[in-house]
Amino acid sequence: CRYEREQALVQEELLRLAKREREAASEHLNTTLQRERNSTNEERQKAAQLARELQCKEAELKRRDAFCKEQLGRIEQKNAEIYKLTSEQFHEAATGAESQIKQRPDLAYSVGGGEEDLKSWISCVHSLPSHWTAEKQRRRNTEPLCAGLQSEILKCYQENKHEVLKCSELAKAYKRCVSAAQKELLVNYG
């Protein structure tokens, strides 16, 4: 009887120990799971924050891209208008000067020359080498101003479709070149 009682006590003690070990393991498992859940939640929050920031940056880039394309369109339109206007003004001035010289040979008298001076001037013009006449004709049929820069800008825009600001220095140089050419034309043909 005593043996059975001791046996029951040992069994009871073993059950209590097993129960405590299960509880300790369960508690350890719960704290580990809780830590993992917290870590997972933090990672989700960080990922969501990064996704929001990425969306904001993409929206900003799209806005800037649209702005740059709009500005590029305006610059191209303005340059085309300036080229057209300059070309028209040049042709009008050249045609007007030619017609005045042809129609009013007496203009030579107004600057102090005589009929002989006018005749010598006309014969001098007629005796100009043919390449001078071709040069005059070529100047009348003007080529685009700053054509080298223009082709560089177009190449840059084609290579940097999504980063057009990389071409801004070329665009500024082109604008300066066109302005300088216009000033030169005004000085030369006033």
Side-chain angles (χ1 to χ4, degrees):
C1 213
R2 191 173 161 196
Y3 174 75
E4 286 177 6
R5 238 187 291 157
E6 283 180 12
Q7 219 33 55
L9 285 175
V10 169
Q11 287 257 337
E12 216 176 280
E13 189 64 29
L14 284 175
L15 284 175
R16 265 188 264 145
L17 281 173
K19 185 178 178 183
R20 273 190 233 151
E21 283 181 13
R22 267 191 252 126
E23 287 173 357
S26 176
E27 187 177 311
H28 179 69
L29 183 62
N30 285 339
T31 55
T32 304
L33 284 174
Q34 187 62 35
R35 261 190 255 132
E36 287 298 320
R37 284 184 193 133
N38 290 341
S39 174
T40 304
N41 285 338
E42 286 176 13
E43 287 178 14
R44 277 190 200 138
Q45 289 173 352
K46 285 180 185 177
Q49 178 66 26
L50 289 174
R52 284 190 296 272
E53 289 175 8
L54 182 62
Q55 285 176 344
C56 290
K57 286 183 181 183
E58 285 178 352
E60 177 66 17
L61 285 175
K62 285 180 183 179
R63 187 188 63 77
R64 287 184 182 186
D65 186 47
F67 174 76
C68 289
K69 285 180 181 177
E70 179 184 331
Q71 292 298 318
L72 176 64
R74 286 181 185 169
I75 290 171
E76 287 175 348
Q77 182 181 5
K78 201 178 247 184
N79 284 340
E81 290 171 3
I82 289 171
Y83 173 74
K84 183 179 177 184
L85 180 64
T86 304
S87 179
E88 288 173 0
Q89 288 174 346
F90 176 74
H91 286 294
E92 286 174 14
T95 304
E98 284 177 355
S99 66
Q100 284 182 351
I101 290 172
K102 287 178 184 174
Q103 292 175 358
R104 297 196 49 212
D106 62 328
L107 283 178
Y109 296 111
S110 67
V111 290
E115 185 176 343
E116 290 148 16
D117 290 338
L118 179 61
K119 285 181 182 176
S120 74
W121 183 79
I122 291 172
S123 66
C124 180
V125 169
H126 287 293
S127 66
L128 286 175
S130 61
H131 69 277
W132 285 19
T133 311
E135 178 68 24
K136 175 185 169 193
Q137 186 63 28
R138 188 166 47 109
R139 274 192 263 148
R140 288 287 308 280
N141 298 329
T142 57
E143 304 264 331
L145 298 175
C146 311
L149 279 173
Q150 188 176 21
S151 63
E152 285 182 43
I153 289 173
L154 290 174
K155 183 180 176 184
C156 183
Y157 285 141
Q158 288 170 349
E159 290 174 355
N160 301 295
K161 289 181 181 177
H162 300 292
E163 298 171 328
V164 294
L165 288 178
K166 287 185 175 181
C167 305
S168 64
E169 288 303 316
L170 280 173
K172 287 177 186 176
Y174 178 73
K175 190 173 181 181
R176 285 191 299 268
C177 179
V178 169
S179 294
Q182 286 176 334
K183 287 177 184 174
E184 184 180 323
L185 284 174
L186 286 175
V187 167
N188 291 338
Y189 300 103

